[in-house]
């Protein structure tokens, strides 16, 4: 019978019928480094151990789990099938352990906090003030770490607890069970043309070469193509880009026209890098701010959720 116990700072998995030594966190870390390097020598250098110490730790780990995890050669080590299985399970355990420690410190240690936010590539930087301005005004010493990724990657990062919040095109009920939507809001679109363009109407705009989001990269790209087909069966696509900020700059440079969220133009303030062209057919998307479901969310994360403006 296997059981897990916490003693003297170590997680121990104890097989009561065969072992009393258990497996500690350091052994799992050493195992992961050895998988990554494939070398006793490089593992020893990375962990500042001798090669013989690495060998002893690995032997003890294999003795405790009761199976061989690696095939050894004179030059490298290679995972066995059991080792591959153990790598998957131990990675989940280490991730959970580190996230638990992080939450412990965030909840009970005073001082500045860190919030990690993943933006979809279709959510431009002009959106950030609405997400973070009120929170930063109230807690100026806290650090906000912001990355941009595809929508699918945003979800993966939040589920894996590598990011506390994500912002992306709303998927309705098509989110993993671990995810909760904490805010939803409408995001209206407008046509844009180069600053010296004579384009005045949506019909004229759609007949121009267009710069659109890269196909199959996001839900927003698919929805934009559907909208354009309400005007013409086959829009003329001159270029594709990963985000609306990039599209605005390309249109400003005279490379074509585009359709972008009105909010994405706020970044430019009074500057007019493009000509706005009203759309006579309403087009908008919904954005969602997501977080992992958690009944014990630290107070600073609860406060961040309360202060989001959109």
């Amino acid at each position: 019978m296997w059981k897990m116990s916490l003693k003297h700072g170590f997680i121990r998995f104890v097989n009561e019928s065969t072992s009393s030594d258990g497996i500690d966190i350091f052994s799992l870390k050493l195992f992961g480094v050895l998988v990554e390097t494939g070398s006793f020598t490089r593992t020893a250098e990375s962990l500042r151990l001798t090669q013989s110490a690495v060998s002893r730790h690995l032997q003890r780990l294999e003795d405790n789990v009761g199976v061989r995890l690696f095939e050894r050669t004179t030059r490298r080590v290679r995972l066995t099938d059991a080792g591959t299985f153990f790598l998957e399970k131990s990675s989940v355990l280490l991730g959970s352990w580190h996230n638990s420690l992080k939450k412990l410190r965030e909840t009970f240690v005073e001082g500045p906090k860190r919030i990690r936010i993943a933006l979809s590539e279709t959510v431009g930087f002009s959106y950030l003030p609405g997400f973070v301005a009120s929170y930063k005004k109230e807690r100026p010493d806290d650090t906000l770490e912001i990355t941009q990724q595809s929508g699918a990657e945003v979800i993966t990062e939040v589920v894996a607890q590598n990011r506390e919040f994500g912002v992306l095109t709303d998927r309705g009920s098509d989110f993993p069970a671990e995810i909760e939507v904490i805010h939803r809001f409408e995001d209206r679109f407008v046509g844009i043309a180069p600053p010296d363009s004579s384009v005045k109407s949506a019909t004229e705009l759609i007949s121009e070469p267009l710069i659109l989001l890269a196909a199959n990269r996001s839900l927003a790209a698919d929805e934009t193509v559907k909208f354009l087909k309400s005007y013409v069966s086959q829009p003329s696509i001159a270029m594709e880009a990963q985000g609306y900020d990039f599209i605005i700059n390309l249109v400003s440079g005279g490379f074509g026209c585009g359709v972008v969220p009105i909010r994405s133009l706020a970044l430019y303030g009074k500057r007019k890098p493009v000509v706005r062209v009203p759309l006579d057919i309403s087009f908008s998307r919904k954005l969602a701010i997501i977080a992992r479901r958690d009944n014990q969310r630290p107070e600073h994360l609860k406060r961040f959720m309360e202060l989001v403006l959109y």
Side-chain angles (χ1 to χ4, degrees), residues 158-263:
V158 174
V159 170
Q161 301 181 65
N162 295 325
R163 295 288 179 268
E164 282 75 42
F165 299 102
V167 188
L168 71 166
T169 303
D170 189 9
R171 299 180 178 220
S173 61
D174 192 23
F175 282 109
E178 301 95 326
I179 291 295
E180 67 171 313
V181 177
I182 60 173
H183 286 285
R184 282 186 166 100
F185 53 93
E186 201 79 15
D187 200 27
R188 293 188 299 112
F189 281 66
V190 67
I192 58 172
D196 58 354
S197 173
S198 60
V199 171
K200 301 295 183 184
S201 69
T203 302
E204 291 174 341
L205 179 89
I206 305 306
S207 67
E208 295 288 321
L210 298 170
I211 304 171
L212 305 179
L213 292 174
N216 303 318
R217 184 68 180 172
S218 70
L219 292 178
D222 299 338
E223 291 301 317
T224 300
V225 171
K226 287 180 184 178
F227 165 73
L228 293 173
K229 286 184 176 180
S230 63
Y231 284 92
V232 292
S233 58
Q234 193 60 48
S236 174
I237 302 175
M239 290 185 182
E240 291 185 338
Q242 287 190 347
Y244 290 118
D245 294 329
F246 196 14
I247 290 175
I248 292 167
N249 282 288
L250 288 171
V251 172
S252 179
F255 292 97
C257 295
V259 178
V260 301
I262 294 174
R263 218 180 244 115

Side-chain angles (χ1 to χ4, degrees), residues 66-83:
V67 295
R68 183 173 289 275
L69 301 173
F70 289 98
E71 296 289 349
R72 281 85 154 170
T73 68
T74 55
R75 293 187 177 182
R76 292 187 62 82
V77 293
R78 184 174 62 85
L79 282 172
T80 62
D81 290 343

